[in-house]
Amino acid sequence: MALNVTEATFDAEVLQSEKPVIVDFWAEWCGPCHAVAPVLEKIAEERPDEVKLVKVNIDEEQSLSVKYGVMSIPTMILFKDGQPSAAAVGAQPKSMLERSLGLAA
């Protein structure tokens, strides 16, 4: 299950994480966000030692979406060693998301 992060917990959960973190920028009213959520859960489930999945509600955490240049949702950003390393925008099939985020084998 994805962990909801806020500005207060973002540093500890994402920037200081030992393993790469997929940050899902979403909103409750966003249909494509709800469509992509189970796909992201599956990616994280299949790679428990490789990646961590967290969610940022852009309505509640606007400063984080501004800081990372989120213009439309869903936006998924992969953070490695505290830095954004790859991103995907929009609901996509699992294989496309994995490629966009640099997780494809």
Side-chain angles (χ1 to χ4, degrees):
M1 187 73 190
L3 176 71
N4 286 309
V5 295
T6 63
E7 191 167 5
T9 60
F10 194 84
D11 280 10
E13 294 295 339
V14 178
L15 303 183
Q16 297 167 12
S17 176
E18 293 289 313
K19 59 184 167 183
V21 183
I22 299 169
V23 181
D24 176 17
F25 289 88
W26 74 291
E28 192 59 52
W29 48 263
C30 168
C33 297
H34 289 284
V36 81
V39 178
L40 291 169
E41 295 277 353
K42 183 111 177 99
I43 291 171
E45 218 173 79
E46 290 175 353
R47 305 163 185 270
D49 300 329
E50 293 175 51
V51 294
K52 177 167 126 178
L53 175 63
V54 302
K55 296 171 86 65
V56 172
N57 184 320
I58 63 149
D59 289 333
E60 296 167 4
E61 303 299 329
Q62 292 178 349
S63 60
L64 286 173
S65 53
V66 169
K67 182 175 183 176
Y68 292 104
V70 175
M71 296 298 196
S72 60
I73 54 172
T75 291
M76 290 70 59
I77 301 176
L78 181 71
F79 283 80
K80 283 185 182 170
D81 301 319
Q83 297 295 318
S85 70
V89 178
Q92 302 174 19
K94 182 173 171 278
S95 59
M96 281 181 65
L97 264 179
E98 287 173 321
R99 274 198 301 279
S100 297
L101 295 173
L103 300 172

